[in-house]
Structures are given as structure tokens and as C-alpha cells.
């Protein structure tokens, strides 16, 4: 499996380019900006981009979606409960950021427990609301891409519209901490971690 982290957009949110190296089928998770850089990496590696997967609908994670969509055959995937965010620049907060307003439609919606096939890779969708109602995490093998749900030594904000501290803690404890300590955590901002480290050291989870 190919994996590359690309800090993208004005907030340098973590965008992840993943691919099945046997089939060259690829997906990009949370392209928050810098679409040209992301597209160039896809081209350089000879990947075929199948999916643009969004862990949630906030502006700092979706800024590059429209340009990547325009220059590829990729399908935009997000949880249904965050559809209202990607359709409205005021709701997704891109209208308050320094870049252009961002609003678009998804190609299809993801459900908890669903599996996305990417070549020979299986991407499991885990609904982890709390930061947003439709926030998801994505498990691939021994890795989980947690968006703005779980960070190294922290958790996502819950003070935006649709956020809930109780929901995000429940999501982390009941949907993410069930996995083995060695499972790697790749968050939407900041450095990577592991489930074991966060179980023991994350001050919000004690």
C-alpha cells in the first residue's frame, strides 16, 4: 500500500493519498487545498484516482475537492449527515477563511460499517460523530484515518454547529479505542499516533 501525507490548504490540514500498488487505484482523503500538488503526485506515481473521501465537511478539509474532481474521474464520498456542510459555504466555514467559498455536491454517501474497495485494499467506514454530525474515520489494515475526531494527545473541537463533546468522546471510546494498541492513528491535523498511546496518554480520554 502506498501512503503519503500532504499538508494542504491554508491551515495545512493533513491530506492523505493512498493507493493499492498492485492495481494503481488511488483515493485522496480530505484534500483541503493545493489541488495542483495533489494531482501532480497522482500523475507522477501513475495512479488512477477513484475516490475523494471526506472525513467531514469543514472548509479546511475540502478546499481542493472541486479542482481535483474537475481533473479526474474520482467520485466524492461523504457521510449523509455532513451533506449540508459541503453544499453551503457559510455552513462549512469556507466563507470565513481567506480562500474562495467552497460548495459542491457529493456523488454518493457513506454509511457506518460500509467497505470501500480500492483495488485490493479494503477501506472500512466508521461513523464517528462529535466534531460534525457526519464525521467518519476510515480504517485500512492497521491504520485509521481519524479526520478531526481524534488527534495525537487531543480531540477535535466540538463548539461548531452540529458538534457535541459527549458524542465525540463516545465515538472515540466506542468506535476507535476498540482496536489494538498498535493500530496507527493518522489525524486531520498534527502528527500521527497509535491507539495505544492515545488510550493511555490522551487527557480527554482518561
Amino acid at each position: 500500500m502506498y501512503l503519503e501525507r500532504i499538508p494542504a490548504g491554508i491551515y495545512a490540514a493533513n491530506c492523505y493519498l493512498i493507493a493499492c500498488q498492485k492495481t494503481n487505484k488511488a483515493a485522496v482523503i480530505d484534500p483541503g487545498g493545493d489541488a495542483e500538488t495533489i494531482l501532480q503526485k497522482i500523475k507522477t506515481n501513475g495512479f488512477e484516482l477513484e475516490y475523494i473521501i471526506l472525513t467531514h465537511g469543514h472548509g479546511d478539509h475540502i478546499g481542493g475537492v472541486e479542482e481535483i474532481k474537475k481533473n479526474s474521474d474520482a467520485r466524492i464520498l461523504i457521510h449523509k449527515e455532513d451533506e449540508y456542510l459541503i453544499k453551503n459555504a457559510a455552513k462549512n466555514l469556507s466563507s470565513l477563511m481567506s480562500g474562495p467559498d467552497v460548495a459542491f455536491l457529493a456523488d454518493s454517501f457513506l454509511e457506518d460499517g460500509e467497505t470501500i474497495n480500492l483495488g485490493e485494499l479494503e477501506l472500512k467506514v466508521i461513523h464517528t460523530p462529535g466534531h460534525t454530525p457526519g464525521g467518519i474515520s476510515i480504517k485500512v489494515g492497521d491504520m485509521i484515518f481519524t479526520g478531526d475526531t481524534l488527534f495525537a494527545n487531543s480531540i477535535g473541537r466540538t463548539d461548531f454547529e452540529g458538534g457535541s463533546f459527549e458524542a465525540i468522546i463516545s465515538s472515540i471510546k466506542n468506535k476507535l479505542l476498540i482496536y489494538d494498541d498498535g493500530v496507527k492513528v493518522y489525524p486531520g491535523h498534527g502528527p500521527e499516533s497509535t491507539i495505544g498511546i492515545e488510550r493511555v496518554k490522551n487527557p480527554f480520554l482518561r
Side-chain angles (χ1 to χ4, degrees):
M1 173 180 164
Y2 175 95
L3 167 63
E4 183 172 0
R5 179 177 69 91
I6 307 165
I10 58 173
Y11 294 101
N14 289 334
C15 168
Y16 297 99
L17 175 60
I18 63 174
C20 169
Q21 291 178 295
K22 291 186 179 180
T23 63
N24 283 336
K25 302 290 188 181
V28 61
I29 300 172
D30 288 353
D34 297 296
E36 290 184 6
T37 298
I38 297 166
L39 288 165
Q40 185 59 49
K41 288 181 181 293
I42 293 167
K43 181 180 179 180
T44 298
N45 285 283
F47 294 147
E48 179 185 350
L49 188 66
E50 289 208 321
Y51 302 113
I52 301 166
I53 305 173
L54 305 176
T55 63
H56 64 291
H58 283 154
D60 58 331
H61 290 254
I62 64 174
V65 169
E66 291 175 285
E67 186 173 347
I68 294 173
K69 173 71 173 179
K70 184 174 66 176
N71 288 279
S72 73
D73 294 323
R75 294 173 56 79
I76 301 169
L77 310 180
I78 193 170
H79 193 278
K80 177 69 174 179
E81 290 189 44
D82 268 17
E83 180 185 21
Y84 79 101
L85 290 173
I86 61 171
K87 291 170 62 176
N88 188 311
K91 296 287 187 181
N92 67 43
L93 308 178
S94 63
S95 63
L96 302 178
M97 300 174 184
S98 60
D101 289 1
V102 179
F104 54 87
L105 300 176
D107 290 299
S108 58
F109 298 106
L110 299 169
E111 297 183 1
D112 185 46
E114 180 177 347
T115 297
I116 304 166
N117 293 309
L118 184 67
E120 296 186 2
L121 301 177
E122 291 188 347
L123 285 57
K124 179 182 178 182
V125 176
I126 307 168
H127 185 208
T128 48
H131 180 65
T132 64
I136 62 168
S137 297
I138 303 155
K139 187 173 187 294
V140 190
D142 66 348
M143 302 174 292
I144 301 180
F145 300 92
T146 56
D148 282 6
T149 297
L150 177 63
F151 301 136
N153 208 40
S154 190
I155 63 171
R157 291 178 61 171
T158 58
D159 56 334
F160 296 125
E161 179 183 350
S164 165
F165 180 79
E166 292 76 15
I168 202 170
I169 294 298
S170 176
S171 291
I172 294 169
K173 289 186 174 180
N174 298 318
K175 296 287 193 71
L176 300 180
L177 296 189
I178 62 172
Y179 292 105
D180 293 341
D181 286 351
V183 171
K184 301 179 184 70
V185 172
Y186 292 93
H189 298 271
E192 65 187 71
S193 185
T194 68
I195 290 295
I197 290 172
E198 297 313 305
R199 193 194 315 278
V200 173
K201 294 188 175 182
N202 194 308
F204 292 92
L205 305 177
R206 294 174 184 168

